[in-house]
Amino acid sequence: MKLFNLPLLNAKRSKLNRIAKRLAAKRNRDVRDTEMSFHGFELLEPRVLLSASPEIIDVIKTEAGASFSEPVVVGSMLFFAADNATNGDELWKTDGTAAGTVIVKDIIPGFESSDPYLLTNVNGTLFFFANDGVHGIELWKSNGTAAGTVLVKDIFVGLEDSVDDQTMIAVGSTLFFAADDGIHGTELWRSDGTTAGTLLVKDIAPVGDSSSNPENLTNVSGAVFFQADNGVVGYELYKSNGTAAGTVLVKDIQPGASSSGPNVLTNVNGVLFFEADDGVVGYELWKSNGSPSGTVLVKDIRSGPEPSSLAYLIGVGGTLLFSARTEANGQELWKSDGTTAGTVLIIDIKAGTSGSYPRDFTNVGSTIFFTASDGVLGTELWKSNGLAAGTLLVKDIRPGSAGSSLNDLINVNGNLFFEANDGTFGSALWKSNGIASGTVLVKDFRVGFAEPRLSELVNFNSTLFLEADDGLIGQELWKSDGTAVGTTLVKNINLGTLSADVSQIFNFNGTLFFSARDSINGTELWKSNGTAGNRVLVKDISPGIGDSRPGDFTVANNILFFTASDGVNGRELWKTNGTTTGTLLVKVLDPSTSEFSGPGQLTSFDGKLFFNADDGVHGQELWKSDGTAAGTQLVQDINPGINGSSPGGLTASSGALIFGANDGVHGFEPWRHVPFTFGGLLFGTALIKDINPGIANSNSFRFTQTGGVLMFPANNGVNGNELWKTDLLGTGTVLVKDVNPGPTGSDPRDLVNVNGTLFFSGLFGSNGRELISSNGSAALTNLVKDINAGTTSSNPENLVNVNGTLFFTANDGAHGEELWKSNNSAGNTLLVRDIIPGTQGSNVDDLFNLNGSLFFEAKDLTHGNELWTSNGVSEGTLLVKDLLPGTQSGRATDFAEFKGALAFSANDGIHGSEELFLLGPVLFGTDAAD
C-alpha cells in the first residue's frame, strides 16, 4: 500500500501517519463511476472471520477510537483533530464536558478527512493547516464556530499544497510559517489572519523557484530566528522582524557554500542557544543576540570535529540545561550560562564513557524532570536543580534493570504526569511530586496491557487531557485530576465499528492465515478455511490483549514461518502448522527483547529459510533455519562485530541466494551464498563484486531474474544508480547501460519481468521518469514510451505482469494517474481507461494478478476507493462492488489468492474496517471458497 492507505492503520498517533493522512487528503478527490456488470467473478458473502460471540458484540461495535491529536488550548476551549468515523479526521473542540465536545467544522464533507495539523494559538485565534479537497493543504483559521472556520489563503493556487510538514510560530498577533506559492519555492511567510495580510516575507533564495526551506522557527524577544539556505552560503542562521528588509542572515557560521546547519534553536531569557557546525569543531553549542559579532561558539564540548550531540535544550531560570556527549562521559546532563567556563557537566549519571542518555526534559517550577539510565536500574525518572547534589533518581518505577518506558512528561499545576510501565500494570498513567512516595500510579486504562496506549497529553484549565485506550472504546479523549476516580472519559467521539485490522493474508496449503485483532486477545494469528463463519484463533502468542503482530509469512520446506512478539522475547522467528500446540517459537536470537532486531527478509532457499537478524552480538547478519532451534544458525558474520552487514534484498536465483550486504570494507555490495559447488563458484558466502570500489556503497539489493539474467540497480560512483546484471561472478557483473548519463543515473524502480523482458520506471534524460525496458543488453535497453511528453515525468508505478501484458499506473499529464498497459512498444503502450475524466486521476493502486485477472483499488466520481478489475480494455475496466456505499471508501487491500478466489481486507461499513472478504469465480458459484 502507498502512504495514502496508512490512515486505516491503528498507529494514527505518529508523525509519519499524520503526514500520510495529509497525502491522503491531497490525493483522495471526489471521482466518478459508471455502474456496469462485472465479468468472471462475483463477490461472495463477506467472510467476517472475526465476528464475535453475542456477549461481546456490543463491546466490539464501539472500539474504533477517535484518534484525538494535535491538541492546543485557545482561550476557554481545547481544540484538536479527531475522527468520528462519519466525518473523517476533522477539527473538534471541547470545554471539558461531553456536551461541549463537538466537531467545529467538517471541512471536507463526508467520510474524507481534511486532516488538520500544526494547530497553533495566535493571540486567541486558532491557525492550522488543512486540505478541503479543492485547494490542497493550505492555511486555515477558526474562532471555534463552523462559520468562523475558514481558508485564510490559497497560497499555491489550485489543488497543489503550499505546505507539507512545515512549522508555524506565533509572534504576538502574527503567524510566521514556511510555504510554497509555486513561484518562489518554500520561503518564509506571515499572516494576520486575512487574505491580504498573508504575505511572503522574503524570497531568501531568489534564483528561480529554488527554496530556502526555513526551519526551526523560534521567537526571541519578538524576532523570529530560523535556519535557511539562500543558495549561496548553505543552511545558516537567519532572523526576521516580518519585513523583507528585516529578514537577514545573522552569520555565515561555516563560511562558504557549506552549511553550519543551526538546529535545536532555544530561547533562554532573550538569548538564542543552538547547535551549529563551523566546519572546525563539529556540531557544538552556540549562542546569538541577533548580531554577527554576538553569534559565537559557547564551548567545544566534545573536543575535535566530532559532534557533542546536543539535545533537549531547555531554559530554567536563565540557565540552559541540555544533553551532550563527550568521549570521557558519554551522553550526559549539562548546563550553560552562556560562557565557556559556565558550560559544564552537571553529573555523570552513568559513570564511564557509555552515557545515561538524559532526555524528555520537563520543567516543573525550578526543577527539571527527565529520563535517564544509570546502567543499573534501566531508564527511569530523574530530577535536577542544576547541581550535582540536586540531580537524583526520583523512583525506580520498574524494579530491576528493565526500565519503566517513560513517555510524554508534562507539567500540570506543579505535578508531573507521564506514561510508565512498572512491569505489573503495563503502560499506564502516573504522576510525581518529585519524591519516591509521591510518584504513583494514577490509572491503569487497560489492565495487564503492556503496549503504549496514552498520547497527546495536554494541560487544559489546570486539568490533564489525553488520548487513551481502555480496551473497550478505542483511542478516545479523557481527562484526569490526578486520581483514579477523577480520571474519566470526556466523550466517546467515534462510536464506529471495530477495526479487525486484518492484514498479512497468506494462503498455506488451502488455509488462510492472517493477522487480526479482537478485544480479548489483541492482534494475533488467525486462520480460516474460507467458509462464512469459519474463523479460528490459532494462538494468543502474546497472552491477553497484548499484540504479537504476526507477519512476514513465508513457506520453506513446507513449514510456515513468520515473525511475532510474545511480549517476553521481542520480535523473533516462529512457525505454525495451524494448531495452538504447533505454533512455536523457533529460537530466541536476541535476548535483549528488541522489537527492531528481529528477523526480516524471510526467503525460502535450498529447502531452508534464510533471513537477516541481529542476535545482539554480531549485528544484523545472514541466518538460516530448518525450523528447529539447533538448525537456526548464523550463516556468516560478514561484517565482524556488532555493526553487522545488514543483508537485504534476499533473492533465490539459479542455485544461489543473492543479496546486498556491507562487510565494512567494500560498502553495501552484491553477495552470493552457494550451499554447494555450482558452475565453478566456490562453496559458501562471498562478495560477487565491489561495484563502487572501497567503502562506498553501490546499494545493490533489488534483484530480478529476467530471461536467465539477474538484473538489479546499482551505483558504481561514476554513472549513478543504473541497471546492472550478474552471472554471480565478478567478471560477469557489469553495467547493462548508462541509461541516464550523469551522477544521478536512471534510478531504476519497480523492476518486473514480463516474458523475459525487464520493465522498470527510470529517469531517461530530458523525458523525466518514464517506462524503460531491457533484455540485458545495452542495445535493447531503451525508453518504451515518453508517456508524459516532454520533460515532465509520467512516474510509472505498481508494475505487474498479467498473462504477458505489463499493467502499471502513470500520469500522461492529461488524464491524471490512471491504469496503463504495455507490450514493450510505444504504439501499444496505452491508457486502459480514464476512470475519472480529466487531470484528477483515480487513485489506482495495489495492482494484483489473480490467475490472469487484474484487480486493483481505484476511485471514481461516484464511489470512494473500491475494488476494480480490468481485462486490458476500457469497457472491461469495471468497478467490482461498492463495498462501502457512496463516496466513502471500502479500501480493498492485502490481496491474496485462495482456492481460485481473491482474499482481501476491506470495510463494508457493517462488519468493521479491514475485515476479511472473498471474491469467488462465477464458474464455481458461491461455494468456491469452501
Side-chain angles (χ1 to χ4, degrees):
M1 284 187 289
K2 293 183 182 177
L3 284 178
F4 67 82
N5 280 323
L6 285 178
L8 298 177
L9 304 179
N10 277 337
K12 288 186 177 180
R13 294 185 295 173
S14 71
K15 180 178 179 181
L16 175 61
N17 201 56
R18 291 197 292 272
I19 295 171
K21 288 163 66 182
R22 295 200 289 278
L23 290 176
K26 177 180 177 181
R27 296 189 59 181
N28 292 349
R29 317 297 183 196
D30 288 336
V31 288
R32 79 161 181 92
D33 169 62
T34 301
E35 285 289 355
M36 302 178 72
S37 61
F38 167 76
H39 58 274
F41 285 77
E42 67 180 10
L43 188 69
L44 306 180
E45 177 186 355
R47 305 315 199 201
V48 186
L49 302 180
L50 294 186
S51 58
S53 58
E55 59 269 22
I56 64 170
I57 281 288
D58 290 337
V59 173
I60 286 182
K61 284 183 178 178
T62 58
E63 199 180 8
S67 291
F68 162 76
S69 64
E70 303 276 348
V72 64
V73 178
V74 182
S76 60
M77 303 300 296
L78 178 68
F79 288 87
F80 56 96
D83 185 348
N84 64 358
T86 300
N87 303 103
D89 201 358
E90 295 292 351
L91 184 65
W92 285 66
K93 68 178 180 180
T94 184
D95 61 4
T97 68
T101 303
V102 295
I103 188 170
V104 176
K105 184 171 185 172
D106 190 8
I107 295 174
I108 297 185
F111 181 74
E112 301 295 345
S113 300
S114 70
D115 193 25
Y117 71 104
L118 288 182
L119 277 63
T120 303
N121 180 5
V122 183
N123 200 29
T125 297
L126 177 72
F127 285 80
F128 58 97
F129 294 134
N131 188 341
D132 64 0
V134 178
H135 301 95
I137 301 175
E138 295 291 350
L139 182 65
W140 286 67
K141 69 175 180 179
S142 178
N143 63 1
T145 68
T149 302
V150 296
L151 175 69
V152 176
K153 185 170 185 173
D154 186 10
I155 295 172
F156 197 139
V157 177
L159 292 172
E160 296 297 326
D161 304 332
S162 68
V163 295
D164 182 7
D165 194 35
Q166 305 297 334
T167 58
M168 60 169 67
I169 188 173
V171 179
S173 59
T174 301
L175 177 76
F176 287 85
F177 60 101
D180 180 358
D181 62 0
I183 300 171
H184 301 94
T186 300
E187 296 291 348
L188 184 66
W189 284 67
R190 72 169 195 260
S191 178
D192 61 4
T194 67
T195 302
T198 302
L199 305 166
L200 173 69
V201 175
K202 185 174 184 177
D203 189 5
I204 296 172
V207 178
D209 62 353
S210 57
S211 300
S212 70
N213 294 315
E215 295 179 356
N216 300 313
L217 275 62
T218 305
N219 179 9
V220 182
S221 304
V224 179
F225 286 79
F226 57 97
Q227 70 152 294
D229 181 358
N230 65 2
V232 178
V233 299
Y235 281 95
E236 295 292 348
L237 184 65
Y238 279 75
K239 69 175 180 179
S240 177
N241 63 1
T243 68
T247 302
V248 296
L249 174 69
V250 176
K251 185 172 184 173
D252 186 9
I253 294 173
Q254 185 168 155
S258 297
S259 300
S260 70
N263 197 15
V264 292
L265 279 63
T266 305
N267 178 10
V268 182
N269 280 11
V271 176
L272 179 73
F273 287 88
F274 59 99
E275 175 189 58
D277 179 5
D278 65 357
V280 179
V281 299
Y283 277 96
E284 292 294 346
L285 182 63
W286 286 67
K287 69 176 181 180
S288 177
N289 63 3
S291 69
S293 61
T295 302
V296 295
L297 175 69
V298 176
K299 184 170 185 173
D300 183 11
I301 294 172
R302 186 177 184 182
S303 298
E306 293 298 320
S308 59
S309 303
L310 300 176
Y312 305 102
L313 280 66
I314 188 171
V316 184
T319 299
L320 176 74
L321 271 69
F322 57 98
S323 170
R325 181 177 184 83
T326 64
E327 296 296 339
N329 305 108
Q331 195 85 22
E332 289 292 351
L333 182 64
W334 284 68
K335 68 178 178 181
S336 177
D337 61 3
T339 68
T340 302
T343 302
V344 295
L345 173 71
I346 295 176
I347 188 171
D348 190 5
I349 294 173
K350 185 177 181 180
T353 61
S354 56
S356 66
Y357 289 91
R359 58 186 300 162
D360 301 318
F361 295 170
T362 305
N363 187 359
V364 182
S366 58
T367 299
I368 289 293
F369 287 86
F370 60 98
T371 65
S373 172
D374 63 359
V376 178
L377 302 174
T379 300
E380 292 291 350
L381 183 64
W382 287 70
K383 68 178 181 180
S384 178
N385 62 1
L387 301 174
T391 303
L392 305 166
L393 173 70
V394 176
K395 184 173 183 173
D396 185 12
I397 295 172
R398 184 170 188 170
S401 60
S404 58
S405 303
L406 292 97
N407 273 308
D408 295 316
L409 280 63
I410 186 172
N411 174 13
V412 181
N413 278 6
N415 274 303
L416 180 76
F417 286 86
F418 55 95
E419 178 186 13
N421 184 341
D422 66 355
T424 301
F425 294 100
S427 290
L429 182 64
W430 286 67
K431 70 176 181 180
S432 178
N433 62 1
I435 61 176
S437 61
T439 302
V440 295
L441 174 72
V442 175
K443 185 178 178 72
D444 181 17
F445 285 89
R446 300 190 73 170
V447 178
F449 192 70
E451 294 296 325
R453 290 287 170 173
L454 312 181
S455 65
E456 307 292 353
L457 280 65
V458 61
N459 180 359
F460 174 50
N461 287 346
S462 300
T463 298
L464 175 70
F465 281 69
L466 70 155
E467 180 189 48
D469 183 352
D470 65 356
L472 300 176
I473 61 174
Q475 299 285 128
E476 291 291 349
L477 179 62
W478 291 69
K479 65 181 178 181
S480 178
D481 63 1
T483 68
V485 174
T487 302
T488 57
L489 177 71
V490 175
K491 185 172 184 174
N492 187 4
I493 295 171
N494 189 340
L495 295 172
T497 310
L498 167 71
S499 170
D501 292 334
V502 172
S503 63
Q504 305 282 335
I505 303 170
F506 191 85
N507 179 5
F508 175 56
N509 290 344
T511 298
L512 277 178
F513 289 84
F514 53 95
S515 169
R517 175 168 69 100
D518 67 11
S519 59
I520 298 174
N521 303 288
T523 303
E524 293 295 346
L525 179 65
W526 291 72
K527 69 176 182 180
S528 174
N529 65 8
T531 59
N534 177 262
R535 66 276 177 188
V536 178
L537 174 68
V538 178
K539 185 169 186 172
D540 188 9
I541 294 172
S542 182
I545 52 178
D547 298 327
S548 71
R549 301 183 305 280
D552 304 309
F553 295 115
T554 305
V555 176
N557 197 27
N558 205 35
I559 298 172
L560 180 59
F561 291 91
F562 63 99
T563 64
S565 172
D566 61 5
V568 177
N569 297 293
R571 182 157 290 273
E572 292 289 355
L573 184 65
W574 288 69
K575 66 179 181 180
T576 185
N577 62 4
T579 68
T580 302
T581 55
T583 302
L584 303 168
L585 175 65
V586 176
K587 186 174 184 175
V588 177
L589 298 176
D590 182 6
S592 72
T593 73
S594 170
E595 285 291 306
F596 305 102
S597 58
Q601 301 271 325
L602 277 62
T603 304
S604 176
F605 172 67
D606 190 38
K608 296 180 180 63
L609 181 77
F610 284 75
F611 55 96
N612 62 33
D614 183 348
D615 62 359
V617 177
H618 301 92
Q620 192 177 63
E621 289 291 354
L622 183 65
W623 287 70
K624 65 180 179 180
S625 177
D626 62 4
T628 68
T632 302
Q633 303 168 341
L634 176 69
V635 175
Q636 182 167 315
D637 189 7
I638 295 173
N639 188 357
I642 62 172
N643 290 328
S645 65
S646 302
L650 278 63
T651 303
S653 173
S654 303
L657 182 73
I658 312 301
F659 56 96
N662 185 345
D663 63 1
V665 178
H666 302 94
F668 198 87
E669 297 291 348
W671 283 66
R672 66 173 184 255
H673 172 74
V674 183
F676 49 84
T677 303
F678 176 79
L681 300 179
L682 295 177
F683 176 88
T685 306
L687 174 71
I688 295 176
K689 183 170 184 173
D690 187 11
I691 293 174
N692 198 341
I695 61 173
N697 302 316
S698 71
N699 292 320
S700 307
F701 63 89
R702 289 174 290 171
F703 302 98
T704 304
Q705 187 77 37
T706 306
V709 178
L710 192 67
M711 290 193 273
F712 57 99
N715 188 339
N716 63 1
V718 177
N719 304 101
N721 198 29
E722 286 290 357
L723 186 66
W724 286 65
K725 65 180 179 181
T726 183
D727 61 359
L728 311 187
L729 296 171
T731 54
T733 302
V734 295
L735 175 69
V736 174
K737 183 176 183 176
D738 189 4
V739 175
N740 190 36
T744 302
S746 63
D747 187 24
R749 301 177 187 174
D750 287 294
L751 282 66
V752 65
N753 171 26
V754 181
N755 293 350
T757 297
L758 182 75
F759 289 87
F760 61 94
S761 167
L763 297 170
F764 198 89
S766 61
N767 301 106
R769 180 168 291 279
E770 294 292 347
L771 185 65
I772 301 172
S773 67
S774 176
N775 72 346
S777 70
L780 291 179
T781 300
N782 294 303
L783 176 71
V784 176
K785 183 174 184 174
D786 187 9
I787 294 172
N788 196 337
T791 60
T792 305
S793 300
S794 70
N795 291 313
E797 293 180 322
N798 299 302
L799 279 65
V800 64
N801 176 9
V802 181
N803 280 1
T805 297
L806 176 73
F807 286 85
F808 60 99
T809 61
N811 184 346
D812 64 358
H815 301 93
E817 187 177 30
E818 293 286 357
L819 182 66
W820 285 68
K821 68 176 181 180
S822 178
N823 72 350
N824 199 25
S825 68
N828 283 311
T829 299
L830 305 167
L831 173 68
V832 176
R833 177 178 171 183
D834 188 12
I835 295 174
I836 300 182
T839 60
Q840 184 173 331
S842 60
N843 292 356
V844 176
D845 195 18
D846 290 329
L847 276 63
F848 184 80
N849 175 14
L850 175 67
N851 299 327
S853 292
L854 176 69
F855 291 90
F856 57 95
E857 181 187 62
K859 180 177 182 178
D860 62 17
L861 286 172
T862 306
H863 309 90
N865 289 286
E866 298 290 354
L867 180 65
W868 285 65
T869 187
S870 179
N871 62 1
V873 298
S874 179
E875 56 271 21
T877 302
L878 310 169
L879 174 71
V880 176
K881 187 175 179 66
D882 188 12
L883 292 164
L884 190 56
T887 59
Q888 302 181 64
S889 297
R891 296 188 183 277
T893 59
D894 277 299
F895 297 136
E897 184 277 334
F898 179 68
K899 297 182 179 179
L902 179 72
F904 60 97
S905 168
N907 178 12
D908 64 357
I910 300 171
H911 301 97
S913 63
E914 300 184 23
E915 263 298 358
L916 187 60
F917 288 78
L918 289 178
L919 177 74
V922 171
L923 175 65
F924 300 112
T926 56
D927 295 325
D930 293 341

